[in-house]
Amino acid sequence: MKLVIREYLASLRERGELDAVLPDMLTELGFTVYSRPARGTRQYGVDVAAVGIGRDGVRRVHLFSVKSGDLDRAEWNTASPQSLRPSLDEILDHYIASRIPPEYAALPIAICLTFGGAIDEQVRAEVTGYMNRNTTEQISYEEWNGDRLADVILDGILREGLLPAPLRSHLRKSVAMVEEPDIALDHFGWLLRALAENPGATLAARLSQARLINICLWIMFVWAREADNVEAPYRASERALLEVWHLLKSDVPRSGKSAEAAGLVLNELVELHFTIWDELFEAKILPNADVRHAISSAVDSHASLDVNLKLFELVGRLSLRGLWLVWQLAPPNGPVVLSNDYLQSLSPTMADATKTTVERVDQLCQQLMQMVSNNRALLSPIGDWQAIDIGLAFTLLACRPGAHGAIDEWAEELAKRTIFAFNVHGRYPITSHSYWDLADHPSERSDEYRQSSTEGSILYPMLALWAAARSKQELFDELAKFKAKSLGHCTFQTWLPDEDSEDNLYLGRDNHGAALTGIPVTAGTQDTLEFVLEEVVANTHYDALSAVRLGHWPIVLTACRCHRLPFRLRSGAISCLRFDR
């Protein structure tokens, strides 16, 4: 296990990785962390600052200056301000004199040289000489290398009491099998459930469980990144985020340090999820979005079914990331259209951040449209449940006025192609989730088979809902005509939460929520929109979900995408269905 941890530490990058997990390690050792990594502010050489009892039993201020990998000559002392020695000089010249809080000013100080690997022997003498020359009665130096950090993790977060031998085995197997994502995710899922199924009786215990999940996910991600395959940690990060929300949701609304500590752990996990997303999408997928068939060709399969399934899954993941960005600008209850009028109503002090976020949303909308345009499989869903990913994409596009036309074009193509496929007994969307059923579809070209494969639908009522919202009466009437002629046997439906959803939604348990059936689609009307809005207003259980109540609605969307449930929005937040036409 220690070898796994050492390799993980050595592969962590300096910014946003090693300095991000270090505070959790220190907290589990009983340290009080009073300064964490920050962007945009000068830190005078200190990445993390904490107060705690060292190995010799003396309580000290520990000032950590963090570097990644091995400490070689380039990392130790060059003209670059990112080298370690200039950072140590800044600590001596500035930080100690003016940045240590008054309540800790009388404590001795340990300046900690922190890196995930080891010191190169070529610079060992220089480092030792520097530490000896600058050691005083108050100031000492400590080397926190990969070995010591591995011991910190094993003695702190991964200690036997928290991670017994069977769970360590699952962690090792999830790491070893990262190139087989399904197997790796199975092992990580067992680990996750074992860690979180019995929430601690105290906040400290629950925070310890959450930090352990965070560290285990980091370990899996870093190994997967080295293997150049981050599919398993991406899927694991969604599961971990939902598990930790379920674990800490009662602590988030508390006042004072309890809520702050819970919020910090959740924020770290969300940021890790985004880091993994960036590694997958920014580095590998989105650069090819504007190239014809590039992403389709990159799916490692000759089967058209595999291409279809993967493309729609990517659409859902991309759209959800965009909605997390929308969340930064939207009110607590749900997404809105980020129109110029709305953006101008936001705080002028955040104008730069708002502009940056909107530009990123626009970029993701553009890349989403490029993916659809250049990968025609995205016009022909084969599973009716792929409406979940399409619905997320429509919602993201609805948040920006310039992308509204793309909703209309995509919805029209989806309707046209799926109706044609049904009429000619082709590969129309079916309700089964079984891979083999989908691979064999259509196994028969008969009316009986068509009826048994399309007994219910969330796709067609969703298309009708958006057609009505966009006042696309011709498209709406086409769907109504298709329903009346060919889908009289099909139950048009969607899903709504109920009183049991709060305890079961985030963990993906079955037997919660309610089916809203009998959704009407009648030519010459907009009854689908009216019917759904009326039911949404009457259903109060969505508002009662903790993630909605506490202003974190993308967590509900994450749960719906991850556990394959049609999502809905709060009645007051369906502004994405009321946008200007």
Side-chain angles (χ1 to χ4, degrees):
M1 193 73 229
K2 185 172 182 178
L3 178 60
V4 172
I5 303 300
R6 281 190 59 191
E7 289 295 322
Y8 149 70
L9 290 166
S11 299
L12 286 174
R13 296 164 184 165
E14 175 187 342
R15 289 288 171 259
E17 297 195 2
L18 182 54
D19 61 357
V21 299
L22 182 59
D24 283 346
M25 300 182 200
L26 297 172
T27 300
E28 287 300 310
L29 288 180
F31 282 61
T32 300
V33 178
Y34 71 82
S35 178
R36 292 171 176 264
R39 296 186 183 275
T41 59
R42 189 169 180 185
Q43 295 178 278
Y44 296 101
V46 175
D47 296 295
V48 178
V51 175
I53 298 174
R55 287 177 170 179
D56 58 1
V58 177
R59 187 167 183 258
R60 292 186 175 87
V61 174
H62 290 74
L63 307 177
F64 295 87
S65 191
V66 179
K67 301 298 171 187
S68 62
D70 293 332
L71 186 64
D72 55 21
R73 189 169 299 281
E75 290 288 335
W76 167 243
N77 190 20
T78 64
S80 170
Q82 301 303 318
S83 295
L84 183 56
R85 178 166 176 167
S87 296
L88 300 179
D89 290 340
E90 278 198 292
I91 295 174
L92 291 173
D93 296 340
H94 301 287
Y95 191 94
I96 292 175
S98 61
R99 308 285 288 186
I100 295 178
E103 61 267 32
Y104 305 134
L107 294 176
I109 298 167
I111 299 175
C112 305
L113 290 67
T114 310
F115 40 92
I119 294 182
D120 193 315
E121 287 305 315
Q122 294 182 355
V123 297
R124 166 66 71 179
E126 294 180 32
V127 174
T128 302
Y130 181 92
M131 292 191 293
N132 290 338
R133 285 194 306 274
N134 291 285
T135 298
T136 66
E137 290 185 3
Q138 186 187 13
I139 299 173
S140 60
Y141 287 81
E142 297 180 6
E143 181 183 330
W144 288 59
N145 57 23
D147 273 329
R148 180 163 182 181
L149 290 173
D151 289 336
V152 167
I153 292 177
L154 290 170
D155 296 339
I157 290 181
L158 299 187
R159 59 187 178 272
E160 186 68 26
L162 289 179
L163 198 66
L167 297 188
R168 292 184 181 216
S169 175
H170 283 308
L171 177 58
R172 285 194 296 267
K173 289 174 181 176
S174 67
V175 166
M177 300 302 294
V178 289
E179 294 190 74
E180 296 292 338
D182 289 337
I183 299 174
L185 189 65
D186 282 344
H187 286 291
F188 194 85
W190 291 327
L191 171 67
L192 201 57
R193 291 305 307 128
L195 292 176
E197 67 181 350
N198 295 311
T202 65
L203 172 60
R206 292 190 292 275
L207 289 174
S208 185
Q209 290 172 291
R211 293 187 187 107
L212 179 53
I213 290 170
N214 190 34
I215 288 293
C216 289
L217 181 59
W218 263 112
I219 293 170
M220 185 187 191
F221 165 54
V222 171
W223 276 80
R225 185 172 61 191
E226 290 297 304
D228 200 29
N229 188 340
V230 297
E231 173 67 17
Y234 178 87
R235 292 159 63 184
S237 70
E238 286 187 322
R239 295 268 299 275
L241 175 58
L242 296 172
E243 289 276 0
V244 170
W245 177 265
H246 189 80
L247 182 68
L248 298 180
K249 62 185 179 181
S250 61
D251 302 306
V252 172
R254 293 182 179 183
S255 58
K257 292 185 177 180
S258 298
E260 182 181 351
L264 276 173
V265 173
L266 278 166
N267 182 68
E268 289 168 359
L269 202 50
V270 170
E271 289 297 327
L272 175 53
H273 173 63
F274 294 162
T275 298
I276 299 172
W277 189 94
D278 289 342
E279 190 70 27
L280 178 61
F281 277 81
E282 295 287 0
K284 301 179 182 300
I285 296 171
L286 295 184
N288 301 300
D290 62 345
V291 180
R292 190 78 165 173
H293 301 309
I295 299 176
S296 301
S297 301
V299 178
D300 189 19
S301 174
H302 295 295
S304 61
L305 173 62
D306 294 336
V307 175
N308 185 284
L309 296 176
K310 178 56 68 175
L311 284 174
F312 277 101
E313 184 175 48
L314 293 178
V315 160
R317 294 178 181 182
L318 187 157
S319 303
L320 190 55
R321 180 67 183 98
L323 289 168
W324 272 105
L325 290 168
V326 171
W327 170 72
Q328 297 177 22
L329 305 175
N333 53 17
V336 295
V337 179
L338 302 178
S339 63
N340 289 335
D341 289 343
Y342 176 81
L343 294 173
Q344 289 172 5
S345 71
L346 300 178
S347 172
T349 59
M350 299 294 291
D352 290 342
T354 297
K355 180 181 178 182
T356 300
T357 302
V358 171
E359 288 175 351
R360 187 71 183 102
V361 171
D362 285 341
Q363 183 182 23
L364 288 181
C365 287
Q366 179 65 27
Q367 289 166 325
L368 172 60
M369 291 185 283
Q370 289 173 342
M371 281 181 61
V372 176
S373 176
N374 290 309
N375 299 274
R376 309 304 283 178
L378 288 171
L379 303 177
S380 303
I382 194 169
D384 185 85
W385 37 267
Q386 288 171 320
I388 298 165
D389 300 302
I390 298 168
L392 287 170
F394 282 2
T395 304
L396 173 61
L397 294 172
C399 290
R400 289 297 287 152
H404 292 173
I407 300 173
D408 303 336
E409 294 179 15
W410 193 4
E412 289 171 7
E413 285 295 319
L414 288 166
K416 179 177 70 175
R417 289 170 183 257
T418 53
I419 291 172
F420 177 79
F422 183 93
N423 289 335
V424 300
H425 296 272
R427 303 195 80 184
Y428 48 86
I430 61 174
T431 58
S432 177
H433 288 255
S434 165
Y435 179 85
W436 300 112
D437 286 348
L438 294 168
D440 198 35
H441 172 63
S443 59
E444 298 178 20
R445 298 182 181 272
S446 65
D447 291 339
E448 292 78 11
Y449 173 81
R450 280 196 309 195
Q451 289 191 14
S452 65
S453 299
T454 56
E455 292 178 338
S457 177
I458 62 174
L459 173 64
Y460 295 116
M462 185 206 71
L463 292 176
L465 179 69
W466 283 94
R470 290 286 297 145
S471 292
K472 294 298 177 182
Q473 196 64 47
E474 185 177 346
L475 172 59
F476 186 90
D477 290 347
E478 183 68 20
L479 290 164
K481 178 182 176 182
F482 175 57
K483 180 179 186 295
K485 178 181 178 181
S486 303
L487 295 180
H489 64 282
C490 179
T491 302
F492 277 25
Q493 60 190 308
T494 189
W495 176 87
L496 297 175
D498 64 8
E499 62 273 8
D500 296 324
S501 294
E502 174 60 29
D503 293 329
N504 298 287
L505 172 64
Y506 312 111
L507 303 183
R509 295 171 180 160
D510 295 331
N511 302 320
H512 73 93
L516 175 62
T517 60
I519 298 176
V521 185
T522 308
T525 73
Q526 292 191 341
D527 55 356
T528 305
L529 180 60
E530 296 164 0
F531 179 83
V532 171
L533 287 177
E534 182 179 344
E535 292 295 329
V536 165
V537 171
N539 183 291
T540 60
H541 300 297
Y542 180 84
D543 292 335
L545 293 173
S546 58
V548 177
R549 246 185 326 106
L550 300 174
H552 287 68
W553 50 265
I555 290 178
V556 174
L557 302 188
T558 302
C560 290
R561 201 207 72 78
C562 188
H563 302 310
R564 311 315 290 162
L565 291 170
F567 69 93
R568 52 141 291 191
L569 301 171
R570 184 176 181 268
S571 58
I574 309 190
S575 53
C576 285
L577 298 181
R578 298 173 177 169
F579 43 79
D580 295 333
R581 300 169 181 65

